Amino acid sequence: MDQNNQDVFDITILGGGPVGLYAAYYAGLRHMKTKIIDSLDQLGGQLATLYPEKYIYDVAGFPKIIARDLVKNLMEQGLQYQPTVCLNETASGLSRDEQSGFYEISTEKGRHVTRSLLICAGAGAFQPRKLPVASANVWEGRGIHYFVGKKSEFANKKLLIVGGGDSALDWAMNLHGTASHITIIHRRNQFRAHEDSVRKVQNAGTPILTFWELKEVLSTDNKLSGVVIFNNQTKEEKTLAVDAILPQLGFISSLGAIKQWPLKIEGQSIIVDAKMQTTMPGVFAAGDVTGFEGKLKLIVTGFGEAAIAVNFAKTLLDPKAKAFPGHSSEMSPQAVTTIETNAATAGAA
């Protein structure tokens, strides 16, 4: 591997979602030359591309915050140390030079050389689960929306939400007052959403029809005008007048080429140790892409995992550095620079 004409980074972060952006902040704080690679055309991951106008309720310090605003804050925090950002690039290959220990990541646009790698790929490449109804296909983007780009798209609409997970219930709360009427149908009477979300939706008066599924999409004058739903217990059918449908049936995700890398992978999860390090030395992972005993796939836990990964990557690159970075409330970035410079000078002496 020829590094003569190749810029070598201390750490390369694969994935520019919330966890990747927070990792970039911590890497900058630890004075690591940082690069972010993301397959999307913008930073922010699913928060930016799938539900920019959705409220996030479980980030510390924010009783609730709109996803796009959280992304804006994370970008301001994560980019303050000016990491190199490469968008619209999908990682394919990973190799290691045994002599230098450097890793090379290949993409469709070239190669990236790095001393350590942090994989923050979330759930990997994803696409929404589609409605299993033939009459729904022609209405995608014309009444059936798998993503919410702008809440205004649902203004004064009679909206049907299909699903019983967090996204379905969150959107019912978020679009309350925007849509003229909202109905939720769910094929079971058990929800994958937080209990508090179910209670809030019920208290808002939104009808939740359990054991009901979509059978047919109806149209009038080339516009979506209603649906036929059926009860999977009694086989009863109903017709509802709706202008828009928001299916929230989850996503099909894949790690793609990462699955071919020499990592320990179980299902869609990269197995890591307590330092967030994979089975490859110098390769770390954080966020939803990771797996370990007690793992919780939450943004808030991903932030902590990113900090752990970056701080231990720092010690790997610089054995004199401590994993504990100090309390940010006790020192400015300039003070960190002084401390690390003094430590390096003392070591040289």
Side-chain angles (χ1 to χ4, degrees):
M1 188 184 299
D2 178 18
Q3 282 91 36
N4 292 331
N5 298 313
Q6 189 75 34
D7 209 2
V8 180
F9 287 77
D10 292 324
I11 188 167
T12 296
I13 300 166
L14 193 58
V19 173
L21 287 169
Y22 191 67
Y25 158 71
Y26 241 101
L29 189 69
R30 297 307 304 266
H31 287 236
M32 301 170 76
K33 187 177 180 181
T34 305
K35 175 181 283 187
I36 302 172
I37 301 174
D38 198 286
S39 60
L40 300 175
D41 61 0
Q42 60 181 316
L43 293 170
Q46 293 188 25
L47 293 186
T49 58
L50 301 188
Y51 37 79
E53 296 204 25
K54 178 180 173 182
Y55 277 113
I56 307 297
Y57 295 94
D58 59 351
V59 174
F62 297 99
K64 66 177 182 179
I65 183 170
I66 294 177
R68 68 167 181 270
D69 292 337
L70 180 58
V71 168
K72 179 182 177 182
N73 292 347
L74 285 165
M75 287 178 62
E76 181 180 347
Q77 182 183 42
L79 302 182
Q80 63 182 293
Y81 296 104
Q82 300 181 329
T84 297
V85 177
C86 302
L87 299 176
N88 287 313
E89 288 198 54
T90 302
S92 53
L94 178 67
S95 60
R96 190 184 191 213
D97 186 295
E98 295 301 327
Q99 183 175 358
S100 66
F102 296 164
Y103 283 99
E104 181 179 292
I105 306 155
S106 57
T107 73
E108 69 274 30
K109 293 185 177 180
R111 62 194 187 111
H112 307 267
V113 180
T114 186
R115 299 176 67 198
S116 66
L117 173 64
L118 173 54
I119 304 172
C120 300
F126 53 85
Q127 60 180 355
R129 294 185 185 275
K130 299 298 183 72
L131 288 169
V133 178
S135 56
N137 296 336
V138 297
W139 296 106
E140 288 186 19
R142 298 195 303 134
I144 296 179
H145 305 270
Y146 287 96
F147 309 121
V148 178
K150 296 179 180 179
K151 289 172 60 176
S152 59
E153 293 175 331
F154 299 93
N156 304 314
K157 296 289 183 67
K158 294 185 289 291
L159 173 63
L160 175 69
I161 297 178
V162 184
D166 284 318
S167 291
L169 276 294
D170 285 351
W171 277 123
M173 290 187 288
N174 208 330
L175 292 170
H176 182 76
T178 299
S180 61
H181 185 270
I182 299 174
T183 301
I184 299 174
I185 62 171
H186 182 40
R187 62 187 178 86
R188 300 187 299 162
N189 64 349
Q190 296 176 324
F191 295 88
R192 291 174 286 107
H194 294 298
E195 295 90 339
D196 185 60
S197 298
V198 177
R199 179 183 58 80
K200 286 179 177 177
V201 171
Q202 291 173 331
N203 289 345
T206 301
I208 303 177
L209 307 181
T210 55
F211 296 119
W212 288 83
E213 300 182 44
L214 183 66
K215 180 178 181 179
E216 186 179 357
V217 178
L218 306 176
S219 63
T220 303
D221 297 329
N222 201 32
K223 291 183 179 180
L224 192 154
S225 60
V227 295
V228 177
I229 60 174
F230 71 96
N231 187 299
N232 58 31
Q233 303 292 300
T234 67
K235 308 307 177 185
E236 176 189 359
E237 294 187 4
K238 288 183 180 180
T239 299
L240 303 178
V242 301
D243 304 307
I245 303 173
L246 181 60
Q248 296 294 286
L249 305 175
F251 295 88
I252 302 169
S253 61
S254 172
L255 292 177
I258 294 177
K259 273 213 163 187
Q260 308 306 315
W261 296 359
L263 303 167
K264 184 179 180 181
I265 296 175
E266 295 180 1
Q268 294 293 314
S269 298
I270 300 172
I271 304 304
V272 296
D273 60 18
K275 297 180 179 179
M276 297 296 118
Q277 187 165 219
T278 70
T279 49
M280 297 182 72
V283 178
F284 298 79
D288 284 358
V289 76
T290 63
F292 53 86
E293 185 177 357
K295 168 68 181 180
L296 294 176
K297 293 192 175 185
L298 298 169
I299 293 175
V300 289
T301 54
F303 290 156
E305 293 165 12
I308 292 170
V310 169
N311 284 313
F312 279 105
K314 175 69 175 182
T315 65
L316 194 67
L317 304 184
D318 180 6
K320 296 178 181 178
K322 294 182 178 180
F324 179 62
H327 299 292
S328 61
S329 58
E330 297 175 355
M331 62 179 69
S332 66
Q334 290 77 17
V336 174
T337 303
T338 302
I339 290 172
E340 291 191 351
T341 301
N342 291 342
T345 302

